[in-house]
Amino acid sequence: MIVPLRDAVSELVRDGDVVALEGFTHLIPSAAGHELVRQGRKDLTLIRMTPDVIYDQLIGMGCARKLVFSWGGNPGVGSLHRLRDAVENGWPRPLELEEHSHAGMAAAYAAGAANLPFGVLRGYRGGDLPSRTRVGVVVCPFTGEALAAVPAHRPDVGIVHAQQADRHGNVQLWGIAGVQKETVLASKRSIVTVEEIVDELEPRPNGVVLPSWTISAVAHVRGGAHPSYAAGYYDRDNEFYVAWDPVSRDRGTFLAWMKRHVLDTADVEEYRASLAEEATAA
Amino acid sequence: MIVPLRDAVSELVRDGDVVALEGFTHLIPSAAGHELVRQGRKDLTLIRMTPDVIYDQLIGMGCARKLVFSWGGNPGVGSLHRLRDAVENGWPRPLELEEHSHAGMAAAYAAGAANLPFGVLRGYRGGDLPSRTRVGVVVCPFTGEALAAVPAHRPDVGIVHAQQADRHGNVQLWGIAGVQKETVLASKRSIVTVEEIVDELEPRPNGVVLPSWTISAVAHVRGGAHPSYAAGYYDRDNEFYVAWDPVSRDRGTFLAWMKRHVLDTADVEEYRASLAEEATAA
Amino acid sequence: MTTNGDRPYTADEMMAVEAARRLDDTTVCFVGIGLPSLAANLARRTHAPGCTLIYESGTIGAKPVRLPLSIGDGELAETADAVVSVPEMFAYWLQGRRIDVGFLGAAQIDRYGNLNSTVIGDYEHPTVRLPGGGGAPEIALGVDDVFVMLRQSPRTFVEQLDFTTSLGDNVRVVVTDLGILEPRHGELTLVAVHPGSTVEQARAATGWDLQVADEMRETVPPTDEELAALRALETKGRS
Amino acid sequence: MTTNGDRPYTADEMMAVEAARRLDDTTVCFVGIGLPSLAANLARRTHAPGCTLIYESGTIGAKPVRLPLSIGDGELAETADAVVSVPEMFAYWLQGRRIDVGFLGAAQIDRYGNLNSTVIGDYEHPTVRLPGGGGAPEIALGVDDVFVMLRQSPRTFVEQLDFTTSLGDNVRVVVTDLGILEPRHGELTLVAVHPGSTVEQARAATGWDLQVADEMRETVPPTDEELAALRALETKGRS
């Protein structure tokens, strides 16, 4: 149940899989994303409401053939240059887009968790998005009103980061919870990385508990949400997001950065050491 | 915002309204139900997943013309005799039934809270229930699968009981939360009775917070969930449920009981005193 | 009252023990109040400590010490791994097909395992208005294995249900006070009788022509350990 | 840089102040990062302490001391009245029509208040791939009043959107660095200019033939109190 991240990724994620890494600003599973890069996963369909730095990295390293998303940017900073390069120039490979609204993505995850084939919402009305995405119509049998239907997300693998697991692999996260519960419950297989393994989970305000039997593998990855944050453990590395902008603008700079900090590091500990070394040198 | 229960009921509940009193075993808003009886509300459509003693009382006192429900019994004891008498014999007046499954009721509340006209579920398949209730079909635009649709609950008034409110009328309940959040959010108007008014709500594990601006009125009603329980305040009065069986079997006994403990009492304090007096006398 | 050699036990205890034996350490089960709750808690306190108990009030992984009297007792929430809302319970957990076993009771059962917990008599003009389906219709189709626990009599085991509340498609076993029925060739068939009961009694207590398996077993009576665990639960439940 | 007599202020500050003035003590508003967050927090710290701030990360009634840098900053959760999941936020709260005001920005706006935050150029072969709609499509139709905050230029105020991300039906005001636009006779019309700006500048910065209201107002410049509150927020945000 509790395994090294490397083993979890190699056993549970296959080339061509539909993979969702979720975490809404908080608890973004970056270390797991880096492990996908290290293991050279390719042809992935990546789902995520808010693709940010970690998806920029996965896309720039050519891991993805398709992106399903609702907002793709560097929050508070600007563009994701690797995402843009893939969409605008097909580099390093063309990237198919399936674009939704936040409300649609959230409804699609909730439908997946509930084992329904679609989610219903008042949305996708007017504008150009409906003609560019997968959306259908259902009609209320009582009122005759037409509503939008989005196809449920049912990822092959759902990956999230949480604060704690106990030794049996029961997981608790707290604070802003995003769509993480839905991501795990909607997925065929799931990986949860955690900051800490504890003897017993203490119930918390705004706590979300996922019993071990809903999860395929738990990996202990301290700092695994960097550069996002883990409430109670560490703050958001706002400077990293700002620094990502120049790194990611240039293909060569980006590739060198990824080689140095991801490909040439074995795990999150080495990744952190590598970033610290660079900061000291600068 | 924080008003006497009597005023909340007289201002917010009208004859003929659709009223939902919710609380799944825990935090049942009995005192508010008694106030409906005292004020002689009639022709109500009463919604509740698990009509138990308080609905037996409302039905036996002739307040309801229709019941929308999924399980109507005295939990762990047996039948609700007043409900049965209304359905089987039309006493004190005929009671129309709209009967659902728990899953259907829950989906109907969730749809109401989400401002959707219907809820979707895999349910109402086969058996005799579908032909006896309000259920429709929606077809998945992606897979062609047919699913059940239940009409959203949109009560005129939703009534729940919670542990605490702060002085601004923000409410927190914790423990088993049932469908109370959905009931308040699905209703046009809402009343929340609380055990205690506190200076500040302290975030709790499994806490559900309803901001004051989602609630029409909050009333301070200590013990307002009796005979059910309020986690952190008092336990379930299991003996009361057992004792209700003989009281409710006979029309005369029932009416005498209601007169003594509800109609002839002004509020929950007097109700409690009246029960205590009877227990001492016995 | 029968005995296991040493100790006498009741029919309810035999039923609880037989149901508990069918749960294992990894079973996730949806539990109602009464015999199902007794059975599931017994399993958790004997051979299946890892068995996960889910009550429809939203408590996942409840570990009550006392036997709960309602599906929403405070102790269920206090001892649970997680507490979720009722809409989430039915949507994400039951409909999400995360639950292996669901227990159901009823007022009537037919040979296909269909159950009636709605009315006796006509729906519009019932002789007896029963509580209704509650969670049963979706539990019956939403778990892999439905276990029914029901005392056997011609009034409950009927040729024709007065109302079909839930379907029998996933009913794997019916544990009665007389024996065990399992589906064989499309209908419930007597496969075991409890010590002290006979095939004839079971057939007489069934409102249809009850089929009997070629190889009839006799149920193993409750062991001392099972009875001790059961009574510890029951005693605490009453206190 | 303009001054209110005493103090100089920036165009961003003028925009934040003008948006803040439109919120009152009972407003429930859906806030994005940047200028909207600055405006809503300014309102809460000046004339509208009871204004409820909702961030799409699920924080309801957030009361940040520092200006958040992301919509999911930890401080938003720590100071919120309630934290809900993202599916609940969009279903029960936004779609539930509990939110009065929603702020939107965009890369392009047309005269009807329709917004583009998706692409510049063709969708399949864009010149610039923008982040996308995020919450905007449903915010635009799910709140009573949409406030748009957007710097005015012929590149952003366009005759024809490259892509319509969200509809302008509920846009009540567009606050720009030059003035205020409101819908009149079915199209956005200049109703006020900020001190130091002119109607001519606003028309020149608009890609369509901008209509001008008969009665033009000049915006009241930020007061000392507003500027002090604003800068306290900004300073803390940078620390």
Side-chain angles (χ1 to χ4, degrees):
Chain A
M1 183 73 220
I2 301 181
V3 298
L5 176 58
R6 186 180 304 140
D7 299 351
V9 167
S10 74
E11 278 168 34
L12 295 168
V13 189
R14 297 154 202 161
D15 288 348
D17 272 355
V18 178
V19 183
L21 288 83
E22 280 293 353
F24 204 87
T25 307
H26 181 211
L27 296 174
I28 298 172
S30 309
H34 289 160
E35 192 56 33
L36 292 173
V37 171
R38 284 190 197 102
Q39 297 193 18
R41 284 293 171 282
K42 56 181 192 295
D43 295 325
L44 301 177
T45 292
L46 291 176
I47 307 181
R48 181 166 165 75
M49 291 186 67
T50 54
D52 53 2
V53 169
I54 185 63
Y55 268 42
D56 213 30
Q57 294 173 347
L58 284 158
I59 291 164
M61 295 302 284
C63 300
R65 58 162 287 273
K66 180 177 176 182
L67 177 67
V68 182
F69 77 114
S70 40
W71 190 89
N74 185 341
V77 178
S79 288
L80 291 180
H81 300 291
R82 297 298 97 224
L83 168 58
R84 282 188 55 183
D85 205 7
V87 173
E88 295 168 13
N89 309 308
W91 190 92
R93 55 172 296 179
L95 183 69
E96 187 186 337
L97 296 184
E98 180 182 328
E99 185 162 5
H100 289 275
S101 63
H102 278 353
M105 288 286 283
Y109 275 119
N115 185 31
L116 290 173
F118 62 94
V120 179
L121 72 158
R122 292 182 190 278
Y124 295 81
R125 286 193 279 189
D128 292 326
L129 184 58
S131 65
R132 293 293 184 179
T133 192
R134 292 174 69 208
V135 62
V137 171
V138 288
V139 174
C140 175
F142 309 104
T143 64
E145 185 182 355
L147 292 125
V150 287
H153 288 330
R154 300 305 299 260
D156 294 309
V157 191
I159 303 179
V160 305
H161 187 72
Q163 281 100 334
Q164 295 182 341
D166 68 17
R167 291 176 205 291
H168 306 289
N170 299 299
V171 162
Q172 184 172 221
L173 59 92
W174 63 87
I176 289 171
V179 289
Q180 283 99 303
K181 177 187 272 190
E182 286 76 13
T183 300
V184 169
L185 297 184
S187 297
K188 299 185 187 78
R189 305 182 292 280
S190 59
I191 299 172
V192 182
T193 56
V194 297
E195 287 298 324
E196 190 179 2
I197 307 283
V198 297
D199 287 330
E200 194 157 359
L201 297 175
E202 172 203 340
R204 302 251 182 184
N206 298 316
V208 171
V209 173
L210 288 163
S212 59
W213 47 273
T214 64
I215 301 166
S216 309
V218 171
H220 183 194
V221 184
R222 193 167 60 90
H226 177 270
S228 80
Y229 72 105
Y233 288 82
Y234 47 89
D235 289 336
R236 190 167 186 269
D237 186 350
N238 293 314
E239 287 171 16
F240 185 96
Y241 284 89
V242 174
W244 183 250
D245 191 75
V247 168
S248 59
R249 268 180 198 273
D250 179 78
R251 293 173 185 173
T253 314
F254 163 77
L255 289 172
W257 193 97
M258 289 300 291
K259 179 169 190 310
R260 176 170 179 181
H261 299 297
V262 178
L263 293 177
D264 287 354
T265 62
D267 55 25
V268 72
E269 304 289 338
E270 291 190 19
Y271 160 82
R272 195 165 42 233
S274 165
L275 290 179
E277 185 187 288
E278 186 181 44
T280 311
Chain B
M1 184 73 220
I2 300 180
V3 297
L5 177 58
R6 185 181 305 139
D7 298 351
V9 167
S10 75
E11 278 169 34
L12 296 168
V13 189
R14 297 154 201 163
D15 288 348
D17 271 356
V18 178
V19 182
L21 287 83
E22 280 293 352
F24 204 87
T25 306
H26 181 211
L27 295 173
I28 298 173
S30 309
H34 288 161
E35 192 56 33
L36 292 174
V37 172
R38 283 189 200 103
Q39 297 193 18
R41 284 293 170 282
K42 56 182 191 293
D43 295 324
L44 301 177
T45 291
L46 291 177
I47 308 182
R48 180 167 165 75
M49 292 187 67
T50 54
D52 52 2
V53 169
I54 186 62
Y55 268 42
D56 212 31
Q57 295 173 348
L58 284 158
I59 291 163
M61 295 303 285
C63 300
R65 58 162 287 273
K66 180 176 175 182
L67 176 67
V68 182
F69 77 113
S70 41
W71 190 89
N74 185 340
V77 179
S79 289
L80 291 179
H81 300 292
R82 296 298 97 225
L83 167 58
R84 282 188 54 183
D85 205 7
V87 174
E88 295 168 14
N89 309 308
W91 190 94
R93 54 172 294 179
L95 183 69
E96 186 186 337
L97 296 184
E98 180 182 326
E99 185 162 4
H100 288 275
S101 63
H102 277 353
M105 288 286 284
Y109 275 119
N115 185 31
L116 291 173
F118 62 94
V120 179
L121 72 157
R122 291 182 191 278
Y124 295 80
R125 285 193 279 189
D128 292 326
L129 184 59
S131 65
R132 293 293 184 180
T133 191
R134 292 175 69 209
V135 62
V137 171
V138 288
V139 175
C140 176
F142 310 104
T143 65
E145 185 183 354
L147 292 123
V150 287
H153 288 330
R154 298 307 298 260
D156 294 308
V157 191
I159 304 179
V160 305
H161 186 73
Q163 281 100 334
Q164 295 181 342
D166 67 18
R167 292 177 203 290
H168 305 290
N170 298 298
V171 162
Q172 184 171 222
L173 58 93
W174 62 88
I176 289 170
V179 289
Q180 283 100 303
K181 177 187 271 190
E182 286 76 13
T183 299
V184 169
L185 296 184
S187 297
K188 298 184 187 79
R189 304 182 292 279
S190 59
I191 300 172
V192 183
T193 56
V194 297
E195 287 298 323
E196 190 179 1
I197 306 283
V198 297
D199 286 331
E200 195 157 357
L201 296 175
E202 172 203 341
R204 304 251 181 182
N206 299 315
V208 171
V209 173
L210 289 163
S212 60
W213 45 274
T214 63
I215 301 166
S216 308
V218 171
H220 183 195
V221 184
R222 193 166 61 90
H226 176 270
S228 80
Y229 72 105
Y233 288 83
Y234 47 89
D235 289 334
R236 191 168 186 269
D237 187 350
N238 292 314
E239 287 171 16
F240 185 96
Y241 285 88
V242 175
W244 183 250
D245 190 77
V247 167
S248 60
R249 267 179 199 276
D250 179 79
R251 293 174 184 173
T253 314
F254 164 77
L255 289 173
W257 193 98
M258 289 300 291
K259 179 169 190 311
R260 175 170 181 183
H261 299 298
V262 179
L263 293 177
D264 288 354
T265 62
D267 56 24
V268 72
E269 303 289 340
E270 291 191 19
Y271 160 80
R272 195 164 43 234
S274 164
L275 289 179
E277 185 186 288
E278 185 181 44
T280 311
Chain C
M1 226 31 142
T2 322
T3 80
N4 69 356
D6 292 330
R7 298 206 207 184
Y9 59 88
T10 66
D12 275 1
E13 289 174 328
M14 182 73 251
M15 290 172 74
V17 165
E18 263 301 290
R21 288 170 179 165
R22 286 168 166 75
L23 304 175
D24 73 31
D25 215 30
T26 64
T27 309
V28 177
C29 62
F30 208 83
V31 181
I33 272 327
L35 278 180
S37 181
L38 189 60
N41 278 292
L42 174 62
R44 210 173 53 73
R45 299 181 146 268
T46 51
H47 64 284
C51 176
T52 300
L53 276 53
I54 299 185
Y55 291 80
E56 65 191 4
S57 55
T59 56
I60 297 171
K63 296 170 259 314
V65 173
R66 297 175 302 158
L67 208 61
L69 289 173
S70 83
I71 48 166
D73 273 18
E75 198 190 353
L76 298 177
E78 287 156 21
T79 62
D81 294 327
V83 181
V84 302
S85 73
V86 166
E88 180 179 326
M89 174 54 67
F90 283 95
Y92 287 4
W93 298 84
L94 178 61
Q95 185 172 272
R97 295 207 71 91
R98 283 168 235 290
I99 306 181
D100 304 313
V101 170
F103 285 95
L104 293 177
Q108 295 180 331
I109 186 171
D110 71 12
R111 72 180 72 206
Y112 308 110
N114 299 316
L115 301 174
N116 171 22
S117 52
T118 304
V119 288
I120 302 298
D122 177 61
Y123 185 81
E124 295 288 351
H125 305 284
T127 315
V128 182
R129 173 64 227 196
L130 302 165
E138 283 78 24
I139 293 170
L141 297 178
V143 301
D144 294 335
D145 300 324
V146 172
F147 291 5
V148 178
M149 301 182 76
L150 199 55
R151 283 172 170 266
Q152 210 163 342
S153 84
R155 227 163 47 99
T156 51
F157 283 61
V158 298
E159 179 68 38
Q160 177 72 42
L161 299 179
D162 289 11
F163 190 96
T164 302
T165 309
S166 69
L167 300 184
D169 305 34
N170 298 335
V171 170
R172 306 294 174 224
V173 64
V174 180
V175 178
T176 83
D177 53 333
L178 301 175
I180 305 291
L181 287 69
E182 289 176 4
R184 294 270 196 282
H185 312 295
E187 71 174 273
L188 290 172
T189 301
L190 188 70
V191 300
V193 289
H194 300 320
S197 301
T198 64
V199 170
E200 290 63 40
Q201 280 178 303
R203 287 177 51 87
T206 303
W208 70 83
D209 182 22
L210 177 63
Q211 298 301 301
V212 176
D214 294 340
E215 297 176 23
M216 278 293 294
R217 292 183 293 104
E218 186 175 271
T219 308
V220 176
T223 65
D224 287 353
E225 189 210 352
E226 286 167 337
L227 284 178
L230 205 49
R231 284 162 194 183
L233 275 166
E234 292 177 297
T235 310
K236 285 183 189 135
R238 285 198 201 96
S239 71
Chain D
M1 227 29 142
T2 320
T3 80
N4 69 358
D6 292 331
R7 299 205 209 185
Y9 58 87
T10 66
D12 276 0
E13 288 173 329
M14 182 73 251
M15 289 172 74
V17 164
E18 264 301 290
R21 289 170 178 164
R22 287 168 166 74
L23 304 175
D24 72 31
D25 216 30
T26 63
T27 309
V28 178
C29 62
F30 209 82
V31 181
I33 274 325
L35 277 180
S37 181
L38 189 59
N41 278 292
L42 174 62
R44 210 173 54 73
R45 298 180 146 269
T46 50
H47 64 284
C51 176
T52 300
L53 276 53
I54 298 185
Y55 290 81
E56 64 191 4
S57 55
T59 55
I60 297 171
K63 297 171 254 321
V65 173
R66 298 175 303 158
L67 208 60
L69 289 173
S70 83
I71 48 166
D73 272 18
E75 198 190 351
L76 298 177
E78 287 156 22
T79 62
D81 294 326
V83 180
V84 302
S85 73
V86 166
E88 180 179 325
M89 174 53 68
F90 283 95
Y92 287 4
W93 298 84
L94 178 61
Q95 184 171 274
R97 296 206 70 92
R98 282 168 235 289
I99 306 181
D100 304 314
V101 169
F103 285 94
L104 293 177
Q108 294 180 330
I109 186 171
D110 71 12
R111 72 179 72 204
Y112 308 110
N114 300 316
L115 300 174
N116 172 22
S117 52
T118 304
V119 287
I120 302 298
D122 176 62
Y123 185 81
E124 296 288 351
H125 306 285
T127 316
V128 181
R129 174 63 227 196
L130 302 165
E138 283 77 26
I139 293 171
L141 297 178
V143 301
D144 294 335
D145 299 325
V146 172
F147 291 6
V148 177
M149 301 182 77
L150 198 55
R151 282 172 169 266
Q152 211 164 342
S153 85
R155 227 165 43 103
T156 51
F157 283 61
V158 298
E159 179 68 37
Q160 176 73 43
L161 299 179
D162 289 12
F163 189 96
T164 302
T165 308
S166 69
L167 300 183
D169 305 34
N170 298 335
V171 170
R172 305 293 174 227
V173 63
V174 180
V175 178
T176 83
D177 53 332
L178 300 176
I180 306 290
L181 287 69
E182 290 176 2
R184 295 270 196 282
H185 313 295
E187 71 175 271
L188 291 172
T189 301
L190 187 71
V191 300
V193 287
H194 300 319
S197 301
T198 64
V199 170
E200 290 62 40
Q201 280 178 305
R203 287 177 51 87
T206 303
W208 70 84
D209 181 22
L210 177 63
Q211 298 301 299
V212 176
D214 294 340
E215 298 175 24
M216 279 293 294
R217 292 183 292 106
E218 186 176 272
T219 309
V220 175
T223 65
D224 287 353
E225 189 210 352
E226 286 167 337
L227 284 178
L230 205 49
R231 284 163 195 182
L233 275 165
E234 292 178 297
T235 310
K236 285 184 190 134
R238 284 198 202 94
S239 71

